[in-house]
Amino acid sequence: MATAVVARPVARPQARARDEEVLVWPDLVFVEFIAALLFTITLFILSVVINAPLLDQANADVTPNPSKAPWYLLNLQELLLHMNAAMAGIIVPTVWLIILGAFPYFDRDTDGQGAWFGTEGAVRLTVVSGIVGFVGTWALILWDSGKVAFFLNDWFGLSGGDTMRFLENVRSMQSQLPWPEWASKITYLPFNLKLLDGTGSGGPTTFQHLDFPGWLVEQGIPTALLVGLPSLMIYTLWRMGWVVNRRDALLALFSGFVASYGVLTLCGTAFRGQGQELVFPWELKVSEGIPGQEAGH
Amino acid sequence: MAAEPTAPRGGRIERARQIESRKLARRSFLRVSAFAGLSLFVGSMTAGFLGFFNRLKPVGFGGVVTVAASRVPAPGAEPVRISEAKAWVVNLSGPEGDVLGVGGTGGIMALYWKCPHLGCSVPWNPGFNGAAVNFPGVVGWFRCPCHGSTYSRAGIRVFGPAPRPMDTMAITVNGDGSISVNTGAITSGGTDNPLRAVSYNG
């Protein structure tokens, strides 16, 4: 082989200085050992202090009241109280996960990557959108559980009378408005086609007919609020000049989400009593649902 | 030389043959019993499986459940839980439970206790008046423990995520005052629930 090989000087990696290195033993393992000890002690104390009984063998005939999912799913269960089951359980989480995954494709600015609160108004944006998410979610929960109307009536003697009853909660827009007969049976397949509509006993939509009030209450209004309120917040912050680039918008959106998510989890865990009625945490009682022992009030 | 020892040798051969045939008998016994056991097992599984398809005379839930007159509530009394029918038997007094005003005139009805939302069994909550703003004065509602769907005494959904009122079961009143709840004939709930009540004079 007559190929001339030109030897290039290879940049040899510099040996790291000794004081930049951390050894597995003792530096890392010792810290891990301390952490493991702390967790063990904490769990031990918690298991002594907090009672977590296994209860009786399950009885398929009775449902505990309230019936709750594990705490980390109670945010979704809280959503289920307010909208169509497929939306709350599947569509909203899926769409939100896709949106979360799309964040880096929407904000492609590499400036200030990896820095916490990297933009000028970042801290106040986080605080304000967090507060908006917190207060807004509580307000929506209180409204949809009828508590707003109840307190207006109970504390201030305010009552909208019969004409305003439809505003008590979302569902009352279906039951308290004089919807005409045809509104709950809007045919949207032409030629009287019948697809999977043997029983006519589906949800808000059977395949042939749309129950418009049902659709409005279970899907229309929740979708409008889920999309509209965050958009409105970001638009307002943009008009105020706080949101100036895409990262700001995403920061506001994400902070608002974290606050709402926390409120939903907290509300579902600590504020939902029997029949998923809103109660204070210290009033929360669980009945095993045994006949004759269901607690009334 | 070949003929003389035939008798004793024949006896040994015969014994050996008998032993051999006993061995064979044991092997076939094992084979037969193994296959018999297997077919017994598969057969009982199949019979049990086919039992699911017996829709001719179901007993308990799925069939007709008779509720004795003593268990039928008086008009206006609290609904009674009929476990074997998975139903609440309600005796409406007049327009009771007809919270949306469709013209119910009272009577007896059986409400399937499975929530039409996601299927939890719905308990009766006699003291609940959380619908006080929209339905003042109405105390006592069915309220689902899982997602809070709230139904009137006639199963009318007034609140919560359930897509429709509680489902009803066909009932007939017998001569002795007992009622027969046909748990196989479940009709999807509708706002006309109060009109499905059957008059009862037991």
Side-chain angles (χ1 to χ4, degrees):
Chain A
M1 294 282 260
T3 316
V5 177
V6 180
R8 277 204 218 147
V10 176
R12 207 173 278 168
Q14 293 289 310
R16 279 172 297 182
R18 181 68 183 81
D19 56 358
E20 285 177 354
E21 287 179 0
V22 174
L23 297 176
V24 171
W25 171 263
D27 302 271
L28 178 67
V29 173
F30 193 72
V31 173
E32 284 180 345
F33 177 68
I34 299 285
L37 267 186
L38 281 179
F39 267 91
T40 310
I41 293 168
T42 313
L43 284 176
F44 184 76
I45 293 173
L46 280 180
S47 65
V48 169
V49 171
I50 298 175
N51 189 21
L54 279 175
L55 303 183
D56 280 340
Q57 198 176 10
N59 179 351
D61 264 3
V62 294
T63 308
N65 192 2
S67 283
K68 291 190 182 182
W71 68 268
Y72 47 85
L73 287 177
L74 284 177
N75 33 61
L76 288 185
Q77 187 168 352
E78 181 63 35
L79 270 192
L80 271 170
L81 307 189
H82 305 289
M83 59 189 78
N84 179 278
M87 250 186 83
I90 297 162
I91 298 172
V92 169
T94 308
V95 169
W96 177 246
L97 286 177
I98 291 172
I99 291 178
L100 276 183
F103 270 19
Y105 298 94
F106 181 69
D107 169 29
R108 288 184 303 187
D109 190 358
T110 52
D111 207 28
Q113 249 177 0
W116 284 82
F117 306 112
T119 57
E120 197 184 335
V123 174
R124 61 182 181 186
L125 269 178
T126 307
V127 172
V128 166
S129 49
I131 291 174
V132 169
F134 184 87
V135 175
T137 310
W138 268 119
L140 286 174
I141 290 173
L142 285 174
W143 172 48
D144 194 32
S145 48
K147 290 292 176 193
V148 174
F150 177 77
F151 286 134
L152 284 178
N153 196 346
D154 204 42
W155 294 352
F156 307 110
L158 290 174
S159 164
D162 285 354
T163 48
M164 302 296 278
R165 250 173 212 168
F166 71 97
L167 283 178
E168 189 198 348
N169 53 54
V170 182
R171 181 60 80 182
S172 55
M173 289 187 197
Q174 182 181 14
S175 56
Q176 301 289 329
L177 281 180
W179 294 98
E181 192 71 30
W182 57 265
S184 56
K185 244 185 160 357
I186 299 172
T187 306
Y188 62 90
L189 274 183
F191 315 124
N192 207 21
L193 275 176
K194 282 193 192 301
L195 293 177
L196 304 177
D197 190 23
T199 60
S201 62
T205 60
T206 61
F207 250 72
Q208 195 184 2
H209 299 297
L210 172 74
D211 175 1
F212 179 75
W215 175 86
L216 183 75
V217 160
E218 290 170 27
Q219 294 164 18
I221 293 176
T223 310
L225 293 183
L226 281 170
V227 176
L229 292 182
S231 310
L232 182 70
M233 180 185 76
I234 291 172
Y235 177 75
T236 313
L237 290 172
W238 175 64
R239 290 303 297 262
M240 288 165 66
W242 289 22
V243 167
V244 289
N245 56 25
R246 290 180 171 193
R247 186 159 305 161
D248 284 335
L250 293 183
L251 191 72
L253 184 61
F254 190 73
S255 312
F257 159 71
V258 170
S260 309
Y261 192 73
V263 168
L264 289 175
T265 312
L266 182 72
C267 181
T269 308
F271 289 87
R272 288 288 179 183
Q274 301 204 343
Q276 302 292 337
E277 176 74 357
L278 272 184
V279 296
F280 287 109
W282 53 89
E283 294 171 339
L284 205 159
K285 284 196 288 280
V286 178
S287 147
E288 282 188 61
I290 295 157
Q293 295 180 23
E294 298 105 338
H297 280 283
Chain B
M1 195 178 170
E4 237 201 327
T6 314
R9 219 166 32 173
R12 256 190 265 125
I13 290 171
E14 188 53 37
R15 270 202 303 279
R17 192 173 286 149
Q18 282 174 3
I19 289 166
E20 207 49 36
S21 70
R22 268 207 301 279
K23 277 183 183 165
L24 275 174
R26 184 191 293 159
R27 186 174 292 173
S28 62
F29 169 77
L30 285 175
R31 184 164 51 223
V32 166
S33 50
F35 275 105
L38 188 67
S39 48
L40 198 68
F41 177 69
V42 173
S44 57
M45 297 274 275
T46 312
F49 180 64
L50 290 178
F52 284 121
F53 296 93
N54 172 26
R55 302 186 60 182
L56 296 176
K57 280 192 188 303
V59 289
F61 183 75
V64 175
V65 171
T66 304
V67 179
S70 57
R71 293 174 74 191
V72 178
E78 304 291 320
V80 171
R81 194 189 144 88
I82 308 295
S83 295
E84 59 269 37
K86 296 186 190 291
W88 288 95
V89 169
V90 194
N91 197 343
L92 303 170
S93 111
E96 194 183 33
D98 182 15
V99 288
L100 299 183
V102 296
T105 53
I108 201 155
M109 62 191 306
L111 298 169
Y112 185 18
W113 74 28
K114 179 179 164 189
C115 183
H117 180 222
L118 291 174
C120 299
S121 31
V122 181
W124 170 251
N125 192 336
F128 184 71
N129 64 350
V133 178
N134 268 344
F135 305 99
V138 183
V139 178
W141 298 80
F142 290 104
R143 194 156 160 96
C144 179
C146 296
H147 306 99
S149 294
T150 307
Y151 310 89
S152 79
R153 208 175 265 264
I156 296 288
R157 186 261 342 258
V158 297
F159 174 80
R164 61 173 189 271
M166 286 168 84
D167 300 345
T168 59
M169 292 170 175
I171 56 177
T172 47
V173 179
N174 305 321
D176 59 350
S178 66
I179 58 170
S180 296
V181 178
N182 188 349
T183 56
I186 297 173
T187 311
S188 289
T191 45
D192 63 337
N193 262 8
L195 305 179
R196 301 180 193 170
V198 177
S199 74
Y200 178 78
N201 303 309

